Amino acid sequence: MVLPLSLESLIPEDDSVRLHSHVMEGLDYTKLYQAYASTGRKPAVEPQIMCKVVTYAYSKNIYSSRKIEKA
């Protein structure tokens, strides 16, 4: 079994997730990061990535965290 070198190759170039990611990269996340405490454990997922995942799921009418995980 041969795995692709990059997961990028699994997503078509014209997929809506690529446009969403590109738009979300241009946002300012300073207020989002200010909401996280500087002490204690680090979040399991980077807040910027989690924001991308949640907003993309919402755009696809997926609101349940369990359904987002499954998708």
Side-chain angles (χ1 to χ4, degrees):
M1 181 159 100
V2 178
L3 297 175
L5 294 176
S6 171
L7 293 177
E8 292 285 323
S9 63
L10 298 175
I11 302 171
E13 290 293 325
D14 60 344
D15 196 273
S16 63
V17 74
R18 289 191 183 270
L19 175 61
H20 184 290
S21 179
H22 179 72
V23 169
M24 295 296 286
E25 285 293 325
L27 297 179
D28 180 20
Y29 291 96
T30 54
K31 290 194 179 209
L32 177 66
Y33 281 95
Q34 287 173 357
Y36 284 83
S38 60
T39 58
R41 68 180 193 166
K42 294 181 74 171
V45 178
E46 190 69 25
Q48 182 178 353
I49 294 172
M50 184 58 77
C51 185
K52 282 182 177 183
V53 169
V54 170
T55 56
Y56 185 73
Y58 285 6
S59 74
K60 297 297 180 184
N61 294 323
I62 304 172
Y63 302 102
S64 163
S65 59
R66 289 183 181 165
K67 288 181 181 178
I68 290 171
E69 179 185 13
K70 186 176 180 182

